Every structure is written in C-alpha cells, then in structure tokens.
Amino acid sequence: MQRPPAEIVLHPARLTALAILALVCGSLLGLAGAGSGAATPAPLGPYLQHIAASAAVQAGLSTLLSLPVGTALALALLRRRFPGRDLLLALLASAAVAPTIVIAFGIVAIYGRSGLLGTLSGSLGLQAPSIYGLHGIVLAHLVMNAPLVARALLHAFEREPGERLRLAAALGFSAVDCFRHLDWPLIRREAPALAVLVFLLCFTSFAIVLALGGGPANATLEVAIYEAVRFEADFTRAAALAALQLALCLGLAAGLAALTPPIRDEAAADRQASRPDAGALRGPDGFVLLLSIALIAPPLLSVASGLAALPLLASAEVARAAATSAVIAAGAGLAACLLALLLASAARSSPRGTRLPDLAAFAMLGLPPFAFVAGLYALLRGLADPALLGLGLVPLVNALMALPFAYRLLWPVLATGAARYGRLADSLGLQGWNRLVLVEWPALRGALGAAFAFAAALSLGDFGVVALFGGGDLTTLPYLLANRLGAYRTDEAGALALLLVLSAGCLAWLAQRWSRRHA
C-alpha cells in the first residue's frame, strides 16, 4: 500500500533534510545581508575563474592519486595478515581523521627543506625541493585521503558475505579471478561515491592550502571566501562565492546520486572467511604496504618530537582549551549521528537519483564552515550574547561538517536492512520506534558507534570555524596549535600536535572496534 504524497513530504526525516537545506540558504542570505550593500565584483571574474580552475586541478590530481593508492592499500590489507597489521590500521584511521593543521605540520617537519628529508639531502650535498606549492598540497591530500579511501573500502569488504569467498575457493579462483569477480564489482560500486567525496574534500580544502599553497596561485574558493570575511569584511562577496562553491558541489552530489548503484541484499550467516588469493601477490602487496608506511607514518610520527615538550602543556590555558574541544567534539558527534540517522532513514525509501537526503548531507561539504557560521551569526546576533552564540554555533557547524561521513557509514546499513527485512516489517506493521529497536538496531549499533567516534575525531581537530571566531572563551586545541606555530613556539606546537593525534587516534581506534563488533 502506497503512502499518500502528503505523508511522504511531512515525514520527520525528510523535514530534517529540508531544514538543513533551509539552514544553508538562510546562512547565505544572512551573510549577504550583513554586507554594506555596496557593489562587489562579479563572482566569475578572471581571478576567481583562475582560483576555481586551480582548485579543480589540484582536487582532480589529488583524487586521481588517492583512489588508486587507497584501493591498492585496501586490497593488500584484505589479502595479508601480518604482525603489526592492527597498528597499521590504527595509523590509517588516525591519518583519515587527523586535524589538517597537524598533517600540514607533519608534512613540513618531514618533507620541508628544514625538515628531516631536507636536512638529510643537505648533508648529502643535494638541494631539497620546496614543499610549498601544488605538489605539497597534493602530497598532503594524498596522506589524508588515501587512508580514508582504504578504510572505506575495507569497511565495504567486511560487509560482503563469506559464502562468496568459500565458493570462490571451491571453484579454484586465482588472484586475477578474485579481483575480477569479487573485488572489482565492489570497487566499481563504491568508487563514484568515494571519488566525489575525495574531490569535494580537496576542492574545498582550507587549512592545507593556507599552510602549503605558497601564494595566490594555488588558492581555492574556500581561501578566497575566508579572505573576504576575515580581512576585507566584504560579506556580500563572500556570500556570492560561497553560493558559487555550493552550487558546484551540489551538482557533483547530484551526479553521485545518479551514479551510485542501489545497495543489494548482503544477508549472510557468516562474513568471516579466508580469501583464495591470500598466498598470492606477496611482492606487490609488500611494496604497497611499504609505500603506505613511508607515505603515511612520517607525518603522524613527526609529532612524536613533541613528547619531550608535553610538560609545557601543564597550564590552565591548555586545560581550558582541551575541555572546550572535548565538549564540542562530544556534542558534535551526538548531533551528527542523530542527523545522519534521520537522513539515512529517509534515503532508504527515496527513489534512486532523486534523494533529497544526499543533497542535504553533501551540501555541508560545499559550504565553507566559517561562511556558514558568519551567516548564522548575522541572523542570530540580536537574540543572544555573542560569546554564548559562538559557543553554541561551533558544535552545530562541526556536526554538520561531519554529517557526510556519518551518513556514508549509516546509510548502507539501513539500506541493506530495508532490502532484507523491509517487506516483512511492513507486513507486520512495524514502524517508527518499534522498527528501529526490533529490526534495525542490532545491525545499526556498531555503525552508530563508529559514526560517533569518527565525527567526534573530526570535530576535535577542526580549525576552519575556530580560525575565524576563536579566541577568548572559544579557544580549542587546534586554535592553540595555530597560535603557537604563528609565534614560532615549535616545542609547544609539537606537543599540542602530539596530543591531538593521540586523541584522534584513540577515537579512530574506537570507531574501528565498534564497526567490527556488530558487522
């Protein structure tokens, strides 16, 4: 029995998607209204065309490198079991959620001219290339996004029924057969979403481009919006640029909805089985694993130099910043899980290619967080104390920024459950809370724990919003790290970076454990 159109429109989950999109539009209108009303340059002038083109080039290069490297790493980890595998998985998870400012700090500390490799090159009489510019940005994005791709693919492979592997072993599949019939269909199914996600993350990159860009030649629209808000106070121009970036990203998200195939039923009694190709491709897999360790570990381990400076963090200022970061991260994690659950519950019953929840979730990747906060602040500044308003807006914005990742974790679980048990639940009249508790919760609780930990880790390292509104009562650990770097207090900066990486690594490890527990 089909529901009437009015019930579909007024469904709370779909109202959540509409509310998020309305909040996005309202923030843009508030930002535009905060301007003086004076004429501003056309948003598509030659300079901005250059910025958009350069951002698209670096995002395209980063995506083209991150997808193959991440896929090869996922396949190597899928086939190999070795001592230290769990540690490598923890490093991958830490790199995927590590604060961008920490990644930039590690890249400079390892690959910069005054860094470890630069010093080594100088001792050999060689001149190390500068890390600043397009190659530095692409390298940093590769360090961040290749682990994200690998973890996402490993999570997808873990949902595959073990019966397929046992059948492949019974049929005597070779390594080529396993890739052709088992691995490639899943990679092809997941690749469009991952490609769009990585491209949007790189296209809207802020802290990496600001730290390693080396000048206006490699700026992005996000940096131009930040400059318009922070230094020029041209809010009308910032709103126009933000709307332009949002339109481009929503176009990609709409293409994602059309390219992503429907989730198939993956019912299985046992998902644990040995791969038929476990003994093959040892040489290529070993090379990929060594390459990943050489690429990912140094920027993370570079912060170990801050171990000796940890006593310098014993101050009331650092304690307040850590407490503020923890409260914001916990609130953002809970809010992101709730919003993602509502959007995913709406997406599972929406026609393919027209899913409003997809647009609502991915809209937050296209809207700069500081522009979003500035617009909301302009709308609400007369309703509450500005300091309290800022403390309330930051967790909300961090939750919305983490929403695409939480949504990608929860939606496949709900979609699979709908394909497997949807008709039975409908025939029994199970709806709302009863359906959630009896049908969906057993499979959902592991994904919810992973989504909370992942969202909290992302919020913990956020610098985009705090870069604009930080200071005073709103001081977080990433804000202190940027402050110490600007003051050339590198010892304290290294200790803060170490603290952030350890915290993000612990949350990422929890996400990994929770996602496996009920897989």
Side-chain angles (χ1 to χ4, degrees), residues 374-390:
L376 291 181
Y377 180 81
L379 286 176
L380 305 174
R381 57 186 170 183
L383 303 179
D385 180 72
L388 293 177
L389 193 59

Side-chain angles (χ1 to χ4, degrees), residues 178-279:
C178 287
F179 178 80
R180 179 182 177 185
H181 297 290
L182 299 177
D183 301 334
W184 176 244
L186 184 142
I187 294 171
R188 185 176 57 187
R189 188 179 77 225
E190 299 289 331
L194 289 175
V196 172
L197 180 62
V198 171
F199 185 89
L200 290 180
L201 288 173
C202 299
F203 185 80
T204 60
S205 182
F206 172 66
I208 292 295
V209 175
L210 204 63
L212 301 175
N218 297 299
T220 60
L221 282 172
E222 193 112 350
V223 174
I225 296 166
Y226 172 76
E227 292 173 347
V229 172
R230 180 78 174 184
F231 301 114
E232 302 172 11
D234 191 344
F235 299 109
T236 306
R237 179 180 176 84
L241 294 176
L244 172 63
Q245 178 171 293
L246 180 62
L248 293 174
C249 294
L250 283 180
L252 286 173
L256 165 67
L259 289 173
T260 303
I263 295 292
R264 65 173 183 266
D265 184 5
E266 297 171 342
D270 182 15
R271 298 180 187 274
Q272 303 298 324
S274 299
R275 288 184 60 93
D277 57 349

Side-chain angles (χ1 to χ4, degrees), residues 26-259:
S27 68
L28 291 177
L29 292 176
L31 188 62
S36 61
T40 56
L44 283 178
Y47 174 65
L48 292 179
Q49 288 180 7
H50 168 73
I51 287 180
S54 64
V57 168
Q58 67 87 4
L61 289 174
S62 301
T63 304
L64 288 176
L65 287 175
S66 298
L67 277 180
V69 172
T71 301
L73 182 54
L75 291 174
L77 288 168
L78 198 64
R79 288 188 286 256
R80 304 270 79 84
R81 294 293 186 271
F82 53 89
R85 183 176 182 272
D86 290 340
L87 177 60
L88 180 56
L89 286 173
L91 281 175
L92 290 177
S94 299
V97 299
T100 53
I101 191 170
V102 173
I103 295 294
F105 175 83
I107 291 290
V108 173
I110 296 296
Y111 301 106
R113 287 183 176 175
S114 58
L116 181 62
L117 292 183
T119 303
L120 180 62
S121 299
S123 64
L124 297 175
L126 303 175
Q127 183 177 4
S130 174
I131 198 62
Y132 300 99
L134 178 62
H135 52 286
I137 296 173
V138 172
L139 176 61
H141 285 159
L142 179 62
V143 169
M144 293 179 61
N145 294 319
L148 180 65
V149 172
R151 287 298 306 145
L153 287 177
L154 281 174
H155 185 70
F157 278 117
E158 288 169 357
R159 298 197 309 267
E160 289 291 293
E163 286 85 347
R164 295 193 182 119
L165 294 177
R166 284 189 283 271
L167 178 61
L171 294 175
F173 273 18
S174 65
V176 175
D177 294 329
C178 287
F179 178 80
R180 179 182 177 185
H181 297 290
L182 299 177
D183 301 334
W184 176 244
L186 184 142
I187 294 171
R188 185 176 57 187
R189 188 179 77 225
E190 299 289 331
L194 289 175
V196 172
L197 180 62
V198 171
F199 185 89
L200 290 180
L201 288 173
C202 299
F203 185 80
T204 60
S205 182
F206 172 66
I208 292 295
V209 175
L210 204 63
L212 301 175
N218 297 299
T220 60
L221 282 172
E222 193 112 350
V223 174
I225 296 166
Y226 172 76
E227 292 173 347
V229 172
R230 180 78 174 184
F231 301 114
E232 302 172 11
D234 191 344
F235 299 109
T236 306
R237 179 180 176 84
L241 294 176
L244 172 63
Q245 178 171 293
L246 180 62
L248 293 174
C249 294
L250 283 180
L252 286 173
L256 165 67
L259 289 173

